[in-house]
Amino acid sequence: MTPFTYERATSPEAAIRAVAGTPGAKFIAGGTNLLDLMKFQIERPTHLVDVRGLPLATIEDTPDGGLRIGALVTNTALAAHPRVKRDYGVVSRAIVAGATGQLRNKASVGGNLLQRNRCPYFYNVHTPCNKRVPGSGCSAIGGASRSLAVVGTSEACIAQNPGDMAVALMVLDAAVETMNAAGNTRSIPLAEFFRLPGETPEIEFALEPGELITAVTLPPPPAGTHHYHKVRDRASYAFAIVSVAAVLDEDGTGRVAFGSVAPRPWRVAEAEAALPEGPAAVVASAFDGAKPTHENAFKIPLAERTLALVIAEGKG
Amino acid sequence: MKFATPAGENPIDRLSVVGRPVPRIDGPRKVTGTARYAYERHDAVSNPAYGWIVGASIGRGRVVSIDTAAAQAAPGVLAVLSTLDFAPLAPGFRTTVHLFGGAQVQHYGQAIALVVADTFEEASAAAHLLTVEYEVAPGRYDLAAEAATAEPVADRDAPDYPVVDRIGDFEAAFAAAPVTVDQHYTTPDQTHAMMEPHATTAAWRDGKVTIWTSAQIVAWHRPDLAKWLGVTEGDVRLEAPFIGGGFGAKLIAQCDAPLAALGARAVGRPVKVTLQRPLVINNTTRRAGTHQHIRLGATRDGRLTAIGHVSLNGNLPGAFAEAAIAPTRLFYAAPNRYLTMKLAALDLAEGNDMRAPGEAPGLMALEIAMDELAEKLGMDPVALRIVNDTQVDPREPDRPFSERHFVECLRTGAERFGWDRRNPTPGAQSDGKWLIGMGMAGGFRLNLLLPSAARVRLEVDGGLTVETDMTDIGTGSYTILAQTAAEMMGVPLAAVTVRLGDSAYPVSAGSGGQFGANNATSGLYAACVKLREAVAARLGIDAADAEFRDGRVLSGDRSVALAEAVREGPLVAEDGITYGDLDEQFVQATFAAQFAEVAVDGFTGEMRVRRMLAVIDSGRVINPTTARSQVIGGMTMGVGAALMETLAVDVRHGTFITNDLGFYEVPVHGDIPHQEVVFLDYPDNKSSPMKAKGIGEIGLCGVAAAIANAVYNATGVRVRDYPITLDKHLAGLPRVA
């Protein structure tokens, strides 16, 4: 680990000032991903601003019938919240499918959205990686790529977003509330929050330097049954190979997003519109233009089969 | 004591302590954090400095220069040891690798520097300030690509077998066989994935060094360390009282031990060093992957007439081959056979021992082939194995097995598991969305006899102290040694103190090759026999007819308290077991019948093991509780081997890229169902006075194939390349409702 300085922030404004004003500074909340990356010297912040003392850990109903989730709400608390369990089941299911109880106790909602990818070449500091060292090249293309993305990728990067919670939030049309260095707040639709790699895979999120996530908001719950199915190589504590988050209505319409197949939770409007035609039509549309490797091409038929399972469960 | 003739009745046969399900006596220390491991010897070493090992980031070539200036100047740094400033440490016991020293890079991750600093974080931060210049040489990293260059090779651990092991005329018999299987199988490179990574604390004093390290076999480490440090063996004290798992990874010294000692010498202060998981994977040893070609020929009633088994694998030049054909030599008999191994040069971290070396990967292939043969014959897989059982060494038919109850394992297992409920038609059984399958396989692993010694002292308070350099790598050695001493001396278990893993103690077999329990307890048995003689002599009793029971010595009408013998001072006895040729006269081996029921998600292809059963024939069971733990641990490792474990090689960089426990998945609790273990518990009087045999590896043998066969039974898609991940059978899955 590279030496760094550390402070506990006492207000969102002070936290943002500290990060925006210090080159190489980062926020830290649960630290469940950042600390790992610091130990491997993949992340080398010079200064950490601990935001855990900020008053951002509440879950409130919004006037429109939605939910506002503070950025510091733990994954455990969010998954167990009565309204989340009742109205936004896809979120609870996605969260408990991820990590372990211990990690979910530490991980925050805001931090979870910012978790980095799980490409093995990103983790090995001696192999080229455009995310880690922009311009150095992508070792995953032509390398060990079984777990990586098949769609939304670029010649510069095929890393996948490995999250669970974010896939569920994506089907719910969640938005990310932030505050920036000037003290301004804004709401970023989740679909715009995650950037595709293009030629700048090192830029993963639509956040300005020093911009702090303060909350995630959910619109009123959509009608239908909530599903999250995560496919993995072992029963627990593994990143998804493919996951499907869906809210399905009785009439065969609904919403669907795929996890671990793309650099961000993958939700495509045209694909979703094909739900009444069945999983093959949805996947054909959602994965149009996919560029899988020979190691991960199976993710596309797997996505179709997983969606078929979810639809079958919905009819259950 | 030389054990040269089969054991008669002896005090162990009373089974008043031995054979009982005693909880492990070191358990309280483990759960209270007072069992000190090599990296946590705060009790012995104050103020240690921390070493951080830097591994080479090329697969093959030379280190041209290492610029250490920035690291030397970094906060807290005490020393930077560059490989270029040291002569190569000559390869140690059972290895071809230079652990440190010199410019040559034999494989990715080989240690090229040690940074020593006041704190762990300072050492790690400074390590990243090194600038290393390499001259990269082309490396060989792809076994398939090197297959054509492979040469036939002898078995390091069984050199008496011919390189090409032929009986009869295999080719003709195979060609003439009415039913045949001719298939290729692959097993991947694996890492041991023991919980505790390699770790060492070292401290010098007056030219002598004490090394607290995580070693399975103390006496396999000490001579190499003395050689590398340029001191006598007597100047090296090695202590390894607790080890957090090994599975073969810690049979021989890895770079943490010499580098901790070299670092400590350089800075004049104790130094501790541990390997991070990526270094464990790329710097130390692996189980080498195999490509296996198996050909079986049989008559229509299932009798094997031809067995062909060719195994290819790759290793560093001069290193050995994974003996995947080992089980095939002795498990089934056929009048014609052709067994051989081929070895290609690969510039990857050295392939070396991992739990049940040879047998584990060999059975992964052989026992699928047997399943395939059963299907072709239209024969039950259990019945096929029963038909082909042999009670003699197929190569030397006048050499019988000492004890072999494999058929009973099979029959007992089939009955306990409800094997008759298996639908022999694959892909025909379902439970909702789940495809259900049952599979079984045989397990085989040799029982190895090695000398082992111990010292036992009867204290004046009536307590017994046992000392041997035997290790407890989580297996239960402390407990079974205490049981042995208690049984032999007729004292309660609580009266026995066991001290292990210290080079100051008599040399034992150590922990490895499933030879630890039987040999170490037998060595202690020998020492106890000597102590009984000493006690009897003090009491004026004839040792030959003395009985030691309930803290007393009984002989004829006499009954004397054991404590009487030590009124004037403790009695110490030291002896060991050595062996005659009973393992040459008889094949000594252990057997298993492994059964598994697997559910496969008909949509996603995900596999979940629902039930497992092992029926084990491994001689006398010294402690059913710790023995069961060994077997269920092996079964768990078999689930990993079957369904998830693989070290992915990046053939461009020459590195195992799945280099931590996030990428290299092993089973978690959720993957493991109820595991039933049945011991047949037949004492083997040719193995030792304990009449026990190995238990640490047989539990793994055959498990992966049993699961593979169950998956096939569930899906009808035969996967011959381990691990069986869902992508390998997804396209062929039958449609579910």
Side-chain angles (χ1 to χ4, degrees), chain B residues 383-466:
Chain B
L384 174 66
R385 287 164 174 88
I386 291 172
V387 162
N388 287 291
D389 185 55
T390 177
Q391 292 293 316
V392 298
D393 179 345
R395 189 171 185 84
E396 301 173 55
D398 54 353
R399 181 185 180 225
F401 282 85
S402 57
E403 296 279 342
R404 174 168 169 142
H405 305 278
F406 178 47
V407 170
E408 188 177 336
C409 291
L410 292 164
R411 292 204 164 109
T412 304
E415 189 178 328
R416 296 281 287 249
F417 202 67
W419 183 252
D420 59 348
R421 297 199 301 273
R422 169 181 178 265
N423 186 336
T425 305
Q429 205 74 12
S430 62
D431 173 7
K433 71 169 183 174
W434 296 98
L435 304 163
I436 308 299
M438 285 165 67
M440 60 79 52
F444 172 92
R445 169 73 173 143
L446 284 173
N447 179 61
L448 303 174
L449 302 181
L450 276 79
S452 192
R455 182 158 58 225
V456 60
R457 190 165 60 241
L458 183 58
E459 312 285 2
V460 290
D461 62 0
L464 275 177
T465 304
V466 173

Side-chain angles (χ1 to χ4, degrees), chain B residues 611-655:
Chain B
R611 291 192 296 140
M612 299 179 81
L613 165 68
V615 183
I616 304 289
D617 172 26
S618 60
R620 167 175 283 154
V621 175
I622 298 173
N623 181 330
T625 299
T626 54
R628 179 175 184 278
S629 291
Q630 284 300 297
V631 174
I632 64 174
M635 294 162 83
T636 301
M637 197 177 240
V639 172
L643 300 180
M644 59 195 82
E645 293 184 40
T646 183
L647 285 173
V649 188
D650 186 301
V651 299
R652 303 161 305 174
H653 297 97
T655 185

Side-chain angles (χ1 to χ4, degrees), chain A residues 1 121 139 146 234-235 305, chain B residues 124 603 650 652 666 671 727:
Chain A
M1 207 179 278
Y121 298 94
S139 301
R146 179 175 178 269
R234 64 181 175 190
R305 299 180 77 110
Chain B
S124 97
F603 287 94
D650 186 301
R652 303 161 305 174
V666 297
D671 293 299
D727 45 302

Side-chain angles (χ1 to χ4, degrees), chain B residues 253-458:
Chain B
Q254 298 299 331
C255 66
D256 57 299
L259 283 172
L262 291 170
R265 184 148 66 188
V267 301
R269 181 172 153 189
V271 167
K272 61 184 195 175
V273 175
T274 188
L275 300 184
Q276 291 68 49
R277 192 65 63 175
L279 271 183
V280 172
I281 287 174
N282 273 301
N283 172 282
T284 69
T285 61
R286 65 189 158 109
R287 190 203 291 285
T290 63
H291 292 186
Q292 300 181 47
H293 181 200
I294 295 185
R295 285 173 288 173
L296 302 176
T299 59
R300 295 206 185 277
D301 61 356
R303 281 171 209 285
L304 285 166
T305 55
I307 302 178
H309 191 168
V310 178
S311 176
L312 161 75
N313 79 298
N315 212 339
L316 289 170
F320 73 100
E322 176 79 24
I325 62 168
T328 317
R329 294 174 184 141
L330 293 160
F331 205 13
Y332 304 116
N336 304 281
R337 82 178 187 194
Y338 166 61
L339 314 178
T340 195
M341 295 191 289
K342 292 178 179 173
L343 184 61
L346 284 186
D347 302 298
L348 292 166
E350 188 176 52
N352 213 315
D353 294 304
M354 179 168 149
R355 199 176 198 177
E359 273 91 347
L363 290 164
M364 286 167 80
L366 178 67
E367 289 296 290
I368 293 184
M370 287 293 280
D371 200 63
E372 299 200 57
L373 180 63
E375 186 179 30
K376 281 198 165 181
L377 287 160
M379 192 169 178
D380 185 90
V382 171
L384 174 66
R385 287 164 174 88
I386 291 172
V387 162
N388 287 291
D389 185 55
T390 177
Q391 292 293 316
V392 298
D393 179 345
R395 189 171 185 84
E396 301 173 55
D398 54 353
R399 181 185 180 225
F401 282 85
S402 57
E403 296 279 342
R404 174 168 169 142
H405 305 278
F406 178 47
V407 170
E408 188 177 336
C409 291
L410 292 164
R411 292 204 164 109
T412 304
E415 189 178 328
R416 296 281 287 249
F417 202 67
W419 183 252
D420 59 348
R421 297 199 301 273
R422 169 181 178 265
N423 186 336
T425 305
Q429 205 74 12
S430 62
D431 173 7
K433 71 169 183 174
W434 296 98
L435 304 163
I436 308 299
M438 285 165 67
M440 60 79 52
F444 172 92
R445 169 73 173 143
L446 284 173
N447 179 61
L448 303 174
L449 302 181
L450 276 79
S452 192
R455 182 158 58 225
V456 60
R457 190 165 60 241
L458 183 58

